[in-house]
Amino acid sequence: MTTLTIDRRAEWKRRLSFSNLSVVYILVALVVFFGVWKTDLFLTYDTFSGMLNQNAIQALMALSLIMALSSGVFDLSIGYVMSLTSMLTAYLVSPQYGNLLPSSAIAIALAVALLAGVVNAIVVVIFKIDSFIGTLATGSIFYSAAVYVTDNVPISVGTSTIRSLGSWNVASLGAPVFVVAVVMVVLWYLMGHTPTGRAVYATGLGPEAARLAGIRTKRIQFTSLLVSALVAGVAGVLATAKFSQGSAGVGAPYLIQAFAAVFLGATLFRGSLFNAVGTVIAVIMLGTITVGLALAGVVQQWVPYAFQGLILISALGLGGLRRRPKAPTAAEVEPAPSAEVPAQPDGVPTHV
Amino acid sequence: MTTLTIDRRAEWKRRLSFSNLSVVYILVALVVFFGVWKTDLFLTYDTFSGMLNQNAIQALMALSLIMALSSGVFDLSIGYVMSLTSMLTAYLVSPQYGNLLPSSAIAIALAVALLAGVVNAIVVVIFKIDSFIGTLATGSIFYSAAVYVTDNVPISVGTSTIRSLGSWNVASLGAPVFVVAVVMVVLWYLMGHTPTGRAVYATGLGPEAARLAGIRTKRIQFTSLLVSALVAGVAGVLATAKFSQGSAGVGAPYLIQAFAAVFLGATLFRGSLFNAVGTVIAVIMLGTITVGLALAGVVQQWVPYAFQGLILISALGLGGLRRRPKAPTAAEVEPAPSAEVPAQPDGVPTHV
Amino acid sequence: MSETTTVDRPIEQMPLVRIENLSKTFPGQRALDQVDLDIRVGEVHALLGQNGSGKSTLIKVLTGFHAPDDGVRVSVDGAEGAFTRTGPSPLDGEVLNVRAVHQHLGLVPQLSVVDNVALCTGYLRAPGGRIDWAAQASLTRELLARVGLEGLDIHAGVDVISPLERTQVAIARALHGWSEGAHGLLILDEPTAALPAEQAEDLFTLVRRLRDTGVAIVYVSHRLDDLVSIADHVTVLRDGRSVATTSMEGLTHDDLVGLMLGKEAAAKAHAVVRSHAVEDGRPPAVVDGKHGRTLRVSGLVGAELRGLDFTVAPGEVVGVTGIVGAGQDELPYLLVGARKAAAGTVEIDGTTYDVTRLDPRRCAGLGVALVPADRANEAVLPQTDITDNITLPRLRLFSKGGWLRRSSERAEAVRWIERLFIQPQDPGKLVTELSGGNAQKVVLARWLGVARNALLLAEPTAGVDIGAKSLIYSHLRAAAAEGLPIVVCSTDAMDLEQLCTRVLVLSDGRLKAELTGADINEDTINHAVLSATEASA
Amino acid sequence: PADSKGSGDSSSTSSSGGDALPNTTGQKTLDAIEANTGVDGAKKLLAMWTATPTTIGITEPVKGKIPSGKKIAFMNCGVEVCIALGKAVKEAATVLGWTVEDVNVGASPDEISGAWNRVAAGDYDGVIASGLPSVLFADAVDKLKKKGVPIAECCVADDNPGITAIVGDSTVPPTGKQYAAWVAADSDGKANTLWVGSADFPIIATLKSNFDEGMKSWCPDCKVADIDIPAAEIGTTMPTKIAAYVRSHPDVNYIALGYDGFATGLPQALQDAGVADKVKFIGDDALPMNKQMVMDGQQGASIAFPIYEEMYAAVDALARTFVGESVEPSLSMMPLQIYTKDNINDPSKFEPLVPDYKEQFMKLWGK
Ligand SMILES: Nc1ncnc2c1ncn2[C@@H]1O[C@H](COP(=O)(O)OP(=O)(O)OP(=O)(O)O)[C@@H](O)[C@H]1O
Ligand SMILES: Nc1ncnc2c1ncn2[C@@H]1O[C@H](COP(=O)(O)OP(=O)(O)OP(=O)(O)O)[C@@H](O)[C@H]1O
Ligand SMILES: O[C@@H]1[C@@H](O)[C@H](O)OC[C@H]1O
Ligand SMILES: [Mg+2]
Ligand SMILES: [Mg+2]
């Protein structure tokens, strides 16, 4: 019993340690900092709900990456998948063009997002093109498609009832916040508490070992790329609903922050594994910097960038993620015909 | 003797094979394609020199990545290093601000670029923060610094004599083209034909094996990050000379194409190793798409993106780069604190 | 395995798994060539063959990792099946349970022990499909206890546990789910490569017990004595062909060598291996006393070592052994500064150095070479060829005026390929496409080229076949004969017996015994390790 | 219908009771700006600018016979505004029997200079461009000048002598005043305005200084603060920052956006921050998005961009060059209008401000 208590205590100490929770501690520090600096402004429900609303789409974009990165593939095309579905949704609901019901438009847009995922999966998993460059290439194609719709002119949703989805809210929290919550919980459950999730991690961390253990790594990477495209597609639909317009440029700006948040989130909880809850916390932490500084009246343009850079480095340096969960290529899973065994025979040493 | 001849023939066959030279063949195909389509416009010295001039800075940015990627680190900050040196150079030569001689301004700007490289190296090699996210963070800081100079207002070089560097040319080829040629040759020699280059590749391919083989992997990664920042800094200086102004936004647009070109270039010649000549050819190939379509009068905005995406996929799918030279993290080089060895400057050098 | 066809033989004699005409072609190489294999219930079926003969490839086909060439016929329990898919084993299913310990263990680094076990055994679910982590944890502990591993932090990543623990985890997870009378196939590919003798014995006991409950077992090892003690049948592979299948009844160690290498080659290997194992006939300490290159270590303290002093005279081969973690595994790394020593000095070629200030680079410059234990991660450079791997620490020697001269590098590689019989004899062959034994020879070549004043080896023959072993031994002896001090840190008693003039036995980081002369034989060494360990426990 | 609505409304907003000023261009407009001071003055001006303008600004006909068959390059930056400009150029060119080729200028400085250099090497008779400072392609401008190819630009401040005409330049100062008139009038002289600029659009600085002048005249007690935000943050953190600024400065009740594109995501950000009801915003260029926002009540007002009139003016400038006349008339002030809820016709696209602009130009061109 005593040892059990001690174990528990040690376990809690580890769980609550700075290196396990650096981002959370930094978030708390930021909240305290801005809270003390601008108490009335900062410590309000408005700030809280505004923060969630403002960062929901960014969070969704970050969440879209979790499965793919965990399974060992980069998906750099998500920004353009978002643009494409945003354009498409607007096009389809706009009285001027498609004039469809929002539900049909959304269904079609998400089907196209899935199709984009299939293209990615074919390029990366079937053609075995390195995911980093491969999804850069497909992204270019998706962007092209988004531009094609109306030659890069943004499309207003006009009077479409999709607007009501954009303005719908509960306790000032809009639809995207709830979508993020759902996606986060699903990913948390799937990745952390189901065999499928564990197989995804195994695929990314040790593709050959995973395959030796009977995991269908190709199928997992294939599916992961569908998921990233689908979630990015949902982000595109929500962006169109929220902003009442679709545009080809809407997605790209989310990409870098999405990667920053996912990697930052991986420092949390699960020892350098990409995870949903950590990712959302990271998005909120990064969002807090922007909002906090702005509320505090800091208008110098350079400040938020410097702040964000320094906070990222502190969180990563003091926190856990020194080693990036490596995202090797699909090719390492199913090597190119010329060398059927991966270059790196095995992560695990054979002998002492 | 007979076997030797046969071997040579096989060797040449391998060397000239599509999978070894896909990008070159595609480049040739593009030139023929556009050459036939728009003979008078396309097959001219003007097109040729214009192509080189227009892609020189892009090529430089791509070349800046070669050593870092080969040694196993991402440098995502190069775009912002370029912005920073561009702003600084303009600030320093501008009669309105620094009013320095171009030579002094360039020296200072490049020193700052090196300093940026040192910051990257400290974050990645000393703090052991994953390079992907670490250089995203430092990039944010460098951008902040670029914005800081004049609060994001572009700076004209005014009457500074740096303009003459910008307009200097030989046979219509501007200074950046010659700089690219020099950097390419240096990198070709260094990476392909010296012990140092071999040590850089070894560091990227098998960091622990390289370390045990007496290669100073940390120092190599450190130096590689200095080189990437320095070359990006040169690009910034040249951009300011060429455009007679510095701006904080100048660097970012080059980043993605730089990565695309380096990865594409790795399909050429050296069995999936990043290399200088392949990279420059890849930049030219990508540039040919833009210029060719423009000369052919294709104005639909979506076309070049679709074209580029498809060509990238073909080049990669048909060519060699299925397996990306993996870019592990600095942490993988120096696995555990217990195995740490202080840098030993006084060792008897066996190599490098 | 949908259709059942009746076979004209009585069920009892029918093999559990029958494979016919199995071939596997890699681009440019046929790794398996029309192999036939019968695996019967209740037997341990050994696969024997040199490095690169196709053993692991055969296993990877059986477990679904590789798809075989067309033309193979397979039947399970008399029912015809097909190798139609890769992924989970094509044999695995309702009829048959297939579990394997793969040659490189097949663990996923960074994932926890719990996960690594569950990936193989399947996860236990709580209602609702959620993983029952608590049950999974107790199952894991239970399985680990069966292989004698208790008190391990099962939530730790397998990349931070010791190599021995990793092997135990890999074995433990393969032992799950074999109930009495279970129809199953257990495949073990060099499971004892990282196991000390004692642990290996325990494993044999477990394997025998499983065999007796009706599990069919396929067993691969280069430790021929293991096979003698555990196998019932043996299939010998040579260059991807099965050249013999026979009962183990009455076969000796030497018979196995003969089967494996062919008569002529066996005789040669035998001669080399046994050349100096004459009762008292240890090789002289100094053959060529030209240089007084004594290696003198004093006060060496590391993470495990707690103070060690020893001297290796020129031409002497000193073995250092103990159980895993006793200190012999970190010793060579400390000496070249690859891991940080807390204190200690080493005298190299007459000069004394502070060990805490050494690093691998400096040591290479001083002519002190370390052949590391973990070939895949510490030695071999992926995506590069044999030449690159051999010349890596000495590139300066092959450059002139700043240019690396590929031709002289190649010449050097060819020299070593010929000296060590590296196969294939192509200096441009990618090193990751070599079999384990040949890769090890490449690594040895790299470091023999560096070692002017001392050669340190960690587990130099792990996973290396007997033929290659004999070659490695003879080269090490030749190096010693030229006056090189050599330290062999190994848990393989055969290495020590064959190579060493003196063996230091460590326990708990301290020197516990020193064996010399006739005491240097496998039995005495194993015994000394055991008693030293027990004494300090 | 919009026209009648607009003019009808303007008289009623005009609380000063004076006669409604006609929405004209040129010196008359400048005089009106000069003459009307104080809040009442602002209201008069607002009434004037919400009415439909009637003249294109250019009055002097082209004397010579404009040659047909000219080949013009339009440097298309690819964003919404540029695409609309391109359409207007084509429409105008068709009237004169010219052809227009779109040239993609791209985004990075190298792409831009590459595109210009290709045009300089091509066989174009004239070039029309928008919004790009010529420092990026000074060499191409030199080449074009040497070849005698005229260049007409809009929407940019540039002093390169190689550029033949910068149309609409004289329209920028009164445009800055339009902001001030609306803010002063709409707030009844009680505005506390946040000006949102971005150094990435140099023209905004001119708008700002004229806004300041206007505020001094029409609302001397009103407060003005400003922030600058990089253009790269449009649609991402820019709206968040603006909303946070408004929250942290509770007195702010007006926002003036240096460019209407900054409104991307702004209504939602203001909503999210709980300040949507206490602040109104105005911007310049009236992108379809903004017109929709104005109609939806999310944006207070939007200053129209006379895209058609300005591109016709650019063509006009080239025409005058071809017949050897001065381009001075083409540089006249363009028509001005402020869109509010009541005078927007079709929010889905850019529209001409002057209903019979085409006829007016055709008359100048002798067509
Ligand atoms: N993926 C692959 N691609 C190409 N060649 C391969 C591949 N895997 C194995 N080989 C080759 O097939 C042959 C058989 O290799 P295998 O690993 O089966 O040998 P092994 O008998 O297990 O050897 P060892 O005793 O060293 O483990 C070797 O020549 C090896 O180089
Ligand atoms: N990947 C894992 N491998 C092994 N054990 C695990 C793993 N994840 C969780 N556990 C164990 O299962 C128990 C529950 O852990 P878990 O993290 O799921 O807690 P939780 O309350 O569900 O928290 P969370 O909100 O993160 O899911 C703990 O004892 C933990 O050690
Ligand atoms: O009138 C135009 C104005 O609306 C736009 O914003 O800038 C250019 C001007 O010519
Ligand atoms: Mg948990
Ligand atoms: Mg094997």
Side-chain angles (χ1 to χ4, degrees), chain A residues 299-301, chain B residues 151-153, chain D residues 195-200 226-230:
Chain A
V299 295
Q300 287 86 342
Q301 300 185 61
Chain B
D151 233 354
N152 203 23
V153 179
Chain D
W195 176 273
V196 181
S198 177
D200 294 301
D226 67 311
I227 55 174
D228 223 57
I229 302 178

Side-chain angles (χ1 to χ4, degrees), chain C residues 109-389:
Chain C
Q110 274 188 295
L111 277 190
S112 68
V113 173
V114 177
D115 276 314
N116 269 286
V117 168
L119 285 173
C120 198
T121 63
Y123 285 86
L124 298 170
R125 313 282 202 104
R130 188 188 152 116
I131 296 169
D132 187 341
W133 286 112
Q136 196 67 51
S138 51
L139 171 67
T140 305
R141 291 205 177 86
E142 206 176 289
L143 288 172
L144 292 179
R146 289 176 66 185
V147 294
L149 186 55
E150 311 211 17
L152 178 70
D153 175 6
I154 58 171
H155 297 299
V158 295
D159 51 347
V160 302
I161 65 178
S162 77
L164 170 60
E165 288 164 342
R166 284 198 279 264
T167 306
Q168 289 171 306
V169 168
I171 293 171
R173 67 180 191 171
L175 296 181
H176 171 67
W178 302 109
S179 52
E180 196 70 32
H183 243 26
L185 177 61
L186 174 63
I187 299 169
L188 302 162
D189 192 353
E190 302 197 40
T192 57
L195 287 186
E198 194 195 348
Q199 298 269 348
E201 250 341 297
D202 293 349
L203 175 65
F204 296 156
T205 311
L206 282 166
V207 167
R208 286 194 193 99
R209 207 189 308 143
L210 282 178
R211 175 194 62 191
D212 296 341
T213 65
V215 175
I217 289 155
V218 171
Y219 192 97
V220 178
S221 179
H222 289 295
R223 297 189 178 179
L224 303 184
D225 293 335
D226 289 6
L227 301 185
V228 171
S229 79
I230 198 172
D232 302 304
H233 279 86
V234 59
T235 290
V236 182
L237 294 181
R238 210 180 291 156
D239 293 333
R241 295 170 173 276
S242 50
V243 293
T245 296
T246 163
S247 161
M248 279 293 292
E249 201 70 50
L251 290 184
T252 64
H253 180 288
D254 290 351
D255 296 333
L256 290 177
V257 175
L259 277 172
M260 188 166 109
L261 301 182
K263 290 241 162 56
E264 212 174 298
K268 229 160 91 189
H270 185 84
V272 179
V273 171
R274 301 286 163 178
S275 65
H276 76 301
V278 208
E279 281 310 278
D280 239 344
R282 294 282 141 200
V286 183
V287 181
D288 162 6
K290 265 193 298 205
H291 319 282
R293 300 181 289 199
T294 300
L295 183 75
R296 215 180 299 272
V297 176
S298 32
L300 186 62
V301 180
E304 289 165 355
L305 281 176
R306 307 220 204 143
L308 184 66
D309 307 273
F310 67 97
T311 301
V312 188
E316 201 182 9
V317 182
V318 171
V320 186
T321 190
I323 61 157
V324 174
Q328 87 287 348
D329 30 14
E330 76 166 355
L331 169 67
Y333 292 87
L334 295 178
L335 284 180
V336 299
R339 288 184 203 155
K340 184 136 185 58
T345 60
V346 57
E347 185 188 311
I348 300 163
D349 201 17
T351 312
T352 304
Y353 298 88
D354 179 352
V355 173
T356 60
R357 298 180 55 94
L358 287 179
D359 63 40
R361 173 193 189 75
R362 197 166 167 211
C363 285
L366 293 171
V368 177
L370 162 68
V371 176
D374 181 353
R375 188 167 55 232
N377 291 306
E378 299 177 335
V380 156
L381 271 189
Q383 285 191 57
T384 60
D385 60 19
I386 293 180
T387 306
D388 289 328
N389 274 274

Side-chain angles (χ1 to χ4, degrees), chain A residues 52-67:
Chain A
L52 296 189
N53 284 327
Q54 282 292 299
N55 290 295
I57 289 176
Q58 180 66 69
L60 211 50
M61 290 298 277
L63 288 173
S64 79
L65 291 170
I66 285 182
M67 254 183 93

Side-chain angles (χ1 to χ4, degrees), chain D residues 155 167-169 171-172 175 203 207 284-285 304-306 310:
Chain D
C155 321
V167 298
D169 206 20
T171 323
V172 181
T175 303
I203 203 167
L207 292 174
D284 173 35
D285 276 356
F305 183 0
E310 242 167 72

Side-chain angles (χ1 to χ4, degrees), chain D residues 76-366:
Chain D
N76 198 330
C77 80
V79 308
E80 191 177 15
V81 174
C82 294
I83 292 165
L85 291 168
K87 281 188 191 140
V89 169
K90 251 171 228 155
E91 187 188 294
T94 311
V95 171
L96 293 174
W98 299 355
T99 55
V100 178
E101 271 182 22
D102 258 333
V103 177
N104 249 323
V105 290
S108 78
D110 272 309
E111 288 174 300
I112 294 167
S113 89
W116 274 88
N117 275 295
R118 281 195 299 279
V119 166
D123 58 348
Y124 299 100
D125 300 306
V127 181
I128 295 178
S130 72
L132 288 169
S134 66
V135 307
L136 296 180
F137 44 85
D139 48 344
V141 172
D142 287 349
K143 272 184 226 154
L144 288 164
K145 191 179 158 86
K146 273 194 206 110
K147 287 170 75 172
V149 178
I151 304 169
E153 274 221 75
C154 86
C155 321
V156 68
D158 204 318
D159 51 10
N160 189 320
I163 294 176
T164 318
I166 297 180
V167 298
D169 206 20
S170 58
T171 323
V172 181
T175 303
K177 301 279 186 346
Q178 286 181 287
Y179 283 91
W182 180 77
V183 168
D186 194 73
S187 68
D188 219 354
K190 296 185 199 59
N192 184 330
T193 312
L194 170 67
W195 176 273
V196 181
S198 177
D200 294 301
F201 301 95
I203 203 167
I204 291 179
T206 315
L207 292 174
K208 171 70 165 50
S209 59
N210 281 279
F211 169 72
D212 287 340
E213 276 178 30
M215 291 304 277
K216 233 175 265 157
S217 160
W218 300 312
C219 193
D221 298 332
C222 289
K223 278 197 236 128
V224 176
D226 67 311
I227 55 174
D228 223 57
I229 302 178
E233 295 182 26
I234 291 176
T236 60
T237 44
M238 186 185 277
T240 309
K241 285 182 178 175
I242 296 173
Y245 187 96
V246 172
R247 278 198 62 207
S248 63
H249 298 79
D251 297 340
V252 168
N253 54 357
Y254 282 85
I255 303 168
L257 304 173
Y259 167 55
D260 255 336
F262 299 170
T264 309
L266 185 58
Q268 293 73 28
L270 295 173
Q271 189 77 45
D272 289 342
V275 294
D277 295 338
K278 60 174 286 273
V279 66
K280 290 185 180 176
F281 69 88
I282 181 174
D284 173 35
D285 276 356
L287 311 178
M289 165 184 82
N290 303 93
K291 287 161 98 178
Q292 185 67 51
M293 285 177 179
V294 170
M295 289 192 84
D296 293 344
Q298 295 172 322
Q299 175 165 350
S302 178
I303 299 169
F305 183 0
I307 274 181
Y308 285 84
E309 291 81 354
E310 242 167 72
M311 287 301 100
Y312 270 75
V315 169
D316 183 75
L318 295 186
R320 287 173 204 271
T321 316
F322 293 146
V323 297
E325 294 171 17
S326 160
V327 296
E328 203 56 44
S330 318
L331 307 182
S332 311
M333 188 196 294
M334 294 285 107
L336 298 167
Q337 191 174 12
I338 295 176
Y339 287 129
T340 61
K341 242 187 164 89
D342 308 307
N343 60 356
I344 290 171
N345 191 6
D346 180 356
S348 73
K349 55 175 194 268
F350 288 101
E351 293 168 293
L353 310 191
V354 180
D356 62 344
Y357 70 103
K358 194 170 176 180
E359 289 73 22
Q360 293 190 31
F361 274 103
M362 285 170 77
K363 207 187 277 167
L364 294 180
W365 296 341

Side-chain angles (χ1 to χ4, degrees), chain A residues 281-292:
Chain A
I281 292 176
V283 169
I284 292 174
M285 195 270 267
L286 294 173
T288 304
I289 298 177
T290 312
V291 170

